[in-house]
Amino acid sequence: MTLDGQVAIVTGGGRGLGEGYALELARRGAQVVVHDNGSDPAGNGFDPGPANTVAKAIVAAGGQAVPCTTDASTESGGAEAVELALSEFGKLDIIIANAGNINSAPFSEYSTQSFTSALTNHLLAAFHVVRPGFAVMKEARYGRLVFVASAAGVFGQPGLLGYATAKTGMLGMMNVAAIEGAEFGITANAIMPMAATRMAAALFGEAIEAPEAREFLDSLRIDQVAPVVAYLASARCTATRTVLSAFRGRVAQLHIGVTNGWLSPTGQFTAEDVESHLAEISDTSGLLQPENIFDEIAHTVAMTGGALPPAAS
């Protein structure tokens, strides 16, 4: 599966999983913009070293890469990464929206600064690169977007309020990009990875010193995740709005759906009616997996009768 002639931006590409993605794409022939401002796991500081090191490693191995050390969480920083891809390589085919940070604290003690930082370093960092990149891809009528989400958000993880919220927000961005990009040959997919990285180590904290914690962390290898991203970034992946989970050698797909539910015969009901019909409301047989919000609207209108709103027709 070759990526020859493809141009990719990997945000947060200087360390950890981002580095793994950048190296894997380059190994398969992609020209890579390694976008990383070198901040610490909490999102603080600046260090051009990681992006430069990864770009040099790709070039030393016979590939093509350039570092970009702007801050993806700013509008200008994201735009500069896209402009660099165009000026250095002449086009842009792939964006891996991987940049982010992590802060851990109990819900009641989670600071506004930490929450805002998570939204800034994950969601805004994705938005500020993907938005200008999306425009370039629309013009070319081709593109591959890969958003890095997390099971910590989809399923929840104590202590990671900001991280979980931001990572789940990546799926919302993916959904809209996939729908709007379909007619332009742009796919938008996501991965929920786990690997032994600085963020994972920061999450464990002092518990990382426990032998069982270290053993588990060491079993989460980056080479068990990067090939999944390479597939989603390739022309051979025609799926869109697909979310894959990858760690410890297993790859699985996330499915999000809505039950058929309970329909009030009169269209009116009380809180007590909701309680008494919970089994029917929760029954997953015949689960609907909408392609967009209008699919669920159409499904419900079909059950209840009446006309569809113009946008859903």
Side-chain angles (χ1 to χ4, degrees), residues 126-162:
F127 172 73
H128 285 317
V129 176
V130 172
R131 182 180 60 175
F134 190 85
V136 172
M137 292 174 177
K138 278 181 66 174
E139 188 70 24
R141 302 192 71 83
Y142 178 84
R144 294 292 182 266
L145 303 172
V146 182
F147 295 86
V148 179
S150 175
V154 175
F155 304 123
Q157 183 167 344
L160 294 187
L161 176 60

Side-chain angles (χ1 to χ4, degrees), residues 177-231:
I179 293 169
E180 293 193 19
E183 65 178 295
F184 302 101
I186 301 170
T187 65
N189 297 295
I191 186 168
M192 301 191 308
M194 291 189 201
T197 65
R198 291 187 310 158
M199 281 195 183
L203 174 61
F204 275 94
E206 293 182 2
I208 195 64
E209 302 303 325
E212 58 271 22
R214 172 52 62 185
E215 181 181 358
F216 173 75
L217 196 60
D218 289 345
S219 74
L220 303 177
R221 302 201 317 269
I222 292 173
D223 66 354
Q224 296 168 330
V225 178
V228 181
V229 170
Y231 166 69

Side-chain angles (χ1 to χ4, degrees), residues 136-300:
V136 172
M137 292 174 177
K138 278 181 66 174
E139 188 70 24
R141 302 192 71 83
Y142 178 84
R144 294 292 182 266
L145 303 172
V146 182
F147 295 86
V148 179
S150 175
V154 175
F155 304 123
Q157 183 167 344
L160 294 187
L161 176 60
Y163 182 87
T165 303
K167 283 302 191 186
T168 307
M170 299 287 271
L171 298 184
M173 199 179 304
M174 174 202 74
N175 286 332
V176 176
I179 293 169
E180 293 193 19
E183 65 178 295
F184 302 101
I186 301 170
T187 65
N189 297 295
I191 186 168
M192 301 191 308
M194 291 189 201
T197 65
R198 291 187 310 158
M199 281 195 183
L203 174 61
F204 275 94
E206 293 182 2
I208 195 64
E209 302 303 325
E212 58 271 22
R214 172 52 62 185
E215 181 181 358
F216 173 75
L217 196 60
D218 289 345
S219 74
L220 303 177
R221 302 201 317 269
I222 292 173
D223 66 354
Q224 296 168 330
V225 178
V228 181
V229 170
Y231 166 69
L232 293 175
S234 73
R236 282 163 58 172
C237 176
T238 57
T240 196
R241 295 183 74 236
T242 296
V243 182
L244 299 180
S245 170
F247 64 97
R248 297 195 85 179
R250 185 215 64 171
V251 182
Q253 184 173 350
L254 173 72
H255 286 274
I256 299 174
V258 61
T259 66
N260 281 321
W262 165 71
L263 176 64
S264 165
T266 64
Q268 295 178 318
F269 54 87
T270 65
E272 290 79 7
D273 290 328
V274 174
E275 180 184 41
S276 63
H277 288 90
L278 273 180
E280 192 176 347
I281 291 168
S282 305
D283 183 4
T284 58
S285 59
L287 192 72
L288 172 70
Q289 293 182 274
E291 291 296 318
N292 54 58
I293 190 174
F294 302 117
D295 283 357
E296 185 182 10
I297 292 173
H299 179 74
T300 304

Side-chain angles (χ1 to χ4, degrees), residues 3-90:
L3 296 175
D4 287 347
Q6 301 285 287
V7 176
I9 296 173
V10 180
T11 71
R15 293 189 179 105
L17 280 165
E19 177 183 2
Y21 303 153
L23 294 175
E24 178 70 9
L25 297 185
R27 186 179 72 81
R28 292 182 177 272
Q31 300 161 302
V32 182
V33 175
V34 182
H35 194 193
D36 198 313
N37 70 348
S39 63
D40 64 20
N44 303 313
F46 170 76
D47 180 3
N52 284 310
T53 298
V54 174
K56 288 177 180 177
I58 291 172
V59 172
Q64 297 183 64
V66 292
C68 180
T69 58
T70 60
D71 183 354
S73 70
T74 66
E75 187 170 3
S76 60
E80 284 184 45
V82 173
E83 291 163 4
L84 183 61
L86 298 177
S87 64
E88 287 288 329
F89 303 122

